[in-house]
Amino acid sequence: MTSTVMPKVKLGSQGLMVSALGLGCAGMSGFYGPPKPEPEMIKLIHHAIDSGVTFLDTSDAYGPHTNEILIAKALKGKGLREKVQIATKFGLRWIDGKPEACGDPAYVRSCCEASLKRLDIDCIDLYYAHRIDIRVPIEITMGEVKKLVDEGKVKYVGLSEASASTIRRAHAVHPITAVQNEWSLWSRDLEDEIVPTCRELGIGIVPYSPIGRGFLAGGPSLVDNLIEGDFRKVCIILNISKKILFSMPRFQNMDHNKIVFERVNEMATRKGCTAAQLALAWVHHQGTDVVPIPGTTKVQNFNQNIGALSVKLTPEEMKELESFASSDVVKGERHAYMQYTWINSDTPSLSSWKSS
Ligand code: ATR
């Protein structure tokens, strides 16, 4: 396969060019079960680049830290650095098994320095705030990111799981190139406000978990076969109600939610593609400003995902697919910690910060 197969697209309005499909690398270093063998993952990254998928998505939170090191090893000494666009992230850390966002300027700077070292590069192509710290005005966090851009340590800036108002405020400090939020057939909560805001401001959209964290590829059998330690199966105990929830509650409701997969899978059979390809094609059809980053640890699945670019959907087929996973069909939140997503990402005003 040659690199001409994969189109390059403009992401955002500042000049960043990326492959029309990215590669989510988180699962290579854990998260969905234990870390995968390094030599195999390096081969997969090389295969992705050979296939024209040059937009690599990582974060300091993946591993933590080891995913960035894996990418550095894959790129080292092969003249690949100039061929790829590395997107990494700061600002999400795990304290006692719980996620916490941090947007303090000193922390932002230290994260950037550490990521540059681990990735063994001079400049991060796209640097996202991984989660928004609601204690710190977004202008303060972005002010530090802007300095990093001015110093040549970061080229383009992004936000992940940010609300429309946070995106607008951040964009006023420094142009935002991309917003990365969960977006798939069964996670469409960003469509009302976030997508229109990005389009108004010329910001690219990078859907993560476009295959519904694997559900839209494997359905209930994927859930039955999840192994211990897989984040989709991890339970958390909510502080207040003491209720035990899956960290991704939808995966707890398979008797109900399996119908979504069954319908997608049935339509995929009709169209002569796989359910994963159909789910990904639906995301691709959202627009040329949308660059999904499906995560995989397998060459075979990666090849399938590239194939999704050739699956064409009519407006009627898009509607049909959407009807399979409407919000009244899907049971359970996409995340047990919805309070750490864009839903609760508005930060204090700059004036209240200055006066405190
Ligand atoms: P995330 O962005 O969180 O990684 P995703 O892209 O929606 O979520 O889905 C990733 C999951 O789908 C992974 O469990 C991946 O498993 P492998 O690492 O075993 O591939 C799975 N997945 C990705 N592409 C797939 C495909 N074409 N067929 C089956 N499963 C796939």
Side-chain angles (χ1 to χ4, degrees), residues 65-346:
H65 309 316
T66 50
N67 197 241
E68 290 183 329
I69 295 168
L70 173 74
I71 287 175
K73 283 186 185 166
L75 300 183
K76 198 170 176 69
K78 298 223 161 31
L80 295 175
R81 171 65 189 106
E82 298 316 314
K83 290 192 178 168
V84 300
Q85 304 82 46
I86 301 175
T88 191
K89 315 184 189 80
F90 68 88
L92 173 63
R93 49 191 182 184
W94 294 86
I95 312 255
D96 297 332
K98 286 189 191 163
E100 186 187 275
C102 184
D104 288 331
Y107 181 72
V108 173
R109 175 163 292 272
S110 69
C111 286
C112 179
E113 305 283 0
S115 284
L116 285 169
K117 228 181 232 162
R118 282 190 294 269
L119 286 161
D120 196 16
I121 55 177
D122 302 323
C123 178
I124 295 165
D125 296 309
L126 175 58
Y127 202 34
Y128 295 100
H130 201 156
R131 290 292 180 270
I132 308 302
D133 184 350
I134 57 167
R135 299 166 308 132
V136 183
I138 192 67
E139 290 81 2
I140 299 288
T141 305
M142 281 301 122
E144 194 63 24
V145 175
K146 185 174 165 24
K147 282 188 201 160
L148 294 168
V149 175
D150 293 343
E151 291 164 26
K153 293 174 175 158
V154 167
K155 203 153 184 198
Y156 301 103
V157 178
L159 300 170
S160 184
E161 290 288 353
S163 69
S165 122
T166 300
I167 293 167
R168 236 174 243 292
R169 285 171 58 187
H171 192 69
V173 178
H174 187 276
I176 300 297
T177 294
V179 164
Q180 182 178 130
N181 274 33
E182 185 169 352
W183 197 2
S184 71
L185 258 178
W186 78 341
S187 293
R188 301 181 54 198
D189 52 3
L190 75 171
E191 290 179 20
D192 289 345
E193 284 186 29
I194 294 168
V195 172
T197 302
C198 287
R199 290 192 165 147
E200 181 199 322
L201 301 175
I203 297 171
I205 305 168
V206 177
Y208 75 83
S209 302
I211 311 177
R213 300 186 183 270
F215 169 71
L216 296 166
S221 67
L222 169 122
V223 183
D224 289 344
N225 293 317
L226 293 181
I227 54 172
E228 280 316 309
D230 188 310
F231 194 68
R232 291 166 291 199
K233 203 180 173 181
V234 167
C235 289
I236 57 154
I237 301 174
L238 292 185
N239 282 346
I240 302 167
S241 63
K242 300 286 174 222
K243 221 166 114 185
I244 296 179
L245 264 190
F246 266 36
S247 51
M248 287 162 187
R250 278 178 192 174
F251 285 88
Q252 210 162 4
N253 291 316
M254 275 307 132
D255 283 350
H256 181 94
N257 289 336
K258 67 180 179 194
I259 186 76
V260 175
F261 171 76
E262 286 164 0
R263 288 169 172 175
V264 173
N265 199 34
E266 186 273 326
M267 185 170 167
T269 309
R270 258 192 280 143
K271 283 199 63 84
C273 63
T274 67
Q277 287 176 322
L278 191 54
L280 254 183
W282 179 86
V283 180
H284 270 298
H285 279 68
Q286 299 305 320
T288 49
D289 55 346
V290 177
V291 180
I293 48 164
T296 184
T297 56
K298 298 192 179 81
V299 168
Q300 188 192 335
N301 288 347
F302 172 84
N303 290 342
Q304 236 189 63
N305 297 345
I306 295 191
L309 287 171
S310 316
V311 176
K312 302 288 172 239
L313 295 170
T314 63
E316 292 73 32
E317 287 173 321
M318 292 289 281
K319 284 215 171 70
E320 187 182 355
L321 267 170
E322 286 159 17
S323 73
F324 299 160
S326 58
S327 53
D328 53 327
V329 175
V330 178
K331 195 169 160 192
E333 296 278 22
R334 62 183 169 91
H335 213 293
Y337 291 111
M338 281 307 282
Q339 70 268 36
Y340 296 112
T341 69
W342 70 266
I343 303 278
N344 183 32
S345 75
D346 287 346

